[in-house]
Amino acid sequence: RKEVEQDPGPFNVPEGATVAFNCTYSNSASQSFFWYRQDCRKEPKLLMSVYSSGNEDGRFTAQLNRASQYISLLIRDSKLSDSATYLCVVGSYGQNFVFGPGTRLSVLP
Amino acid sequence: ETGVTQTPRHLVMGMTNKKSLKCEQHLGHNAMYWYKQSAKKPLELMFVYSLEERVENNSVPSRFSPECPNSSHLFLHLHTLQPEDSALYLCASSRTGDIAYGYTFGSGTRLTVV
């Protein structure tokens, strides 16, 4: 089993749709969790950290379920500019961050 | 200048050339990383430096040679590359032992080997 797995995608959704991505991780000792966004041919950029209590930033909501070892990202009212690859990242003390393979989202007009 | 800066942004080199990629960070971080990303593929960790010491080398061919002269600078020396080495090379930095914050990436060097 890979350390971090994500929905394979791609997700093709119309503008205004709500879309959710899931990510699972294998290391139960993991302590920090993030969603990164990577535009085509660009570097990954931090979208948001994921906290145990869940957190929201505008149209984006991140949830963490430690018992089931998964993280989710919900995007409401999708915009064309949300089209990108979304990377799940997991951190554990004493180890490098582990990146998931990414889920590609295309928001269609 | 702030953040993580990589140069050059684009590089085309022949298989017999020698070139170097440069990364510089002004964030006060003490760990730096080289990643490779081939087209439509996940990130591949190549090298990790922590406190200027190489702590990880993920079975990278010897034609890639990293150098970390201080905590702010990281180089990747390239020689006798193959066409399959064409990819986006990303540098990242972080604070060693601090997992509350993720990595900060540079904008990458897009390398084409001809």
Side-chain angles (χ1 to χ4, degrees):
Chain A
R1 182 183 172 186
K2 292 181 182 175
E3 289 188 74
V4 177
E5 297 190 76
Q6 295 187 239
D7 290 332
F11 284 61
N12 298 313
V13 303
E15 268 188 292
T18 294
V19 61
F21 305 136
N22 290 317
C23 167
T24 57
Y25 59 95
S26 60
N27 184 354
S28 59
S30 298
Q31 293 293 328
S32 62
F33 310 90
F34 309 90
W35 283 102
Y36 274 69
R37 170 199 169 120
Q38 185 174 24
D39 292 294
C40 187
R41 301 171 71 86
K42 297 282 183 70
E43 76 274 24
K45 291 185 178 177
L46 180 65
L47 178 66
M48 58 198 302
S49 301
V50 186
Y51 303 118
S52 296
S53 54
N55 47 300
E56 188 174 310
D57 183 1
R59 297 181 293 108
F60 298 83
T61 300
Q63 297 276 357
L64 167 63
N65 185 320
R66 285 189 185 273
S68 301
Q69 295 179 207
Y70 81 79
I71 307 146
S72 64
L73 177 68
L74 181 78
I75 306 175
R76 290 182 298 278
D77 187 23
S78 301
K79 311 290 184 192
L80 295 176
S81 57
D82 293 333
S83 297
T85 296
Y86 291 83
L87 303 169
C88 173
V89 182
V90 177
S92 309
Y93 285 109
Q95 299 180 27
N96 300 316
F97 286 108
V98 181
F99 285 75
T103 299
R104 190 155 57 90
L105 170 67
S106 292
V107 180
L108 309 173
Chain B
E1 197 170 348
T2 60
V4 180
T5 304
Q6 285 188 246
T7 54
R9 293 293 300 273
H10 302 273
L11 178 63
V12 179
M13 60 186 288
M15 289 189 283
T16 58
N17 291 160
K18 287 186 182 181
K19 296 285 184 184
S20 295
L21 310 185
K22 180 182 176 183
C23 176
E24 189 171 352
Q25 58 94 6
H26 302 275
L27 300 168
H29 291 168
N30 53 16
M32 297 185 79
Y33 312 80
W34 279 116
Y35 280 86
K36 173 185 178 182
Q37 190 173 38
S38 302
K40 300 190 178 179
K41 295 267 183 77
L43 291 165
E44 297 174 47
L45 180 62
M46 300 176 72
F47 300 104
V48 179
Y49 276 84
S50 176
L51 302 171
E52 300 156 42
E53 185 178 328
R54 191 192 309 182
V55 296
E56 193 157 331
N57 174 347
N58 278 350
S59 304
V60 179
S62 59
R63 56 186 184 269
F64 295 91
S65 174
E67 179 189 1
C68 186
N70 55 60
S71 59
S72 299
H73 293 85
L74 184 67
F75 295 90
L76 187 63
H77 304 299
L78 317 171
H79 65 98
T80 60
L81 294 191
Q82 304 298 310
E84 61 264 28
D85 296 322
S86 299
L88 178 67
Y89 288 84
L90 290 159
C91 173
S93 69
S94 70
R95 276 195 287 264
T96 296
D98 184 353
I99 64 169
Y101 303 93
Y103 293 160
T104 302
F105 285 88
S107 51
T109 295
R110 185 157 298 281
L111 173 68
T112 304
V113 181
V114 297

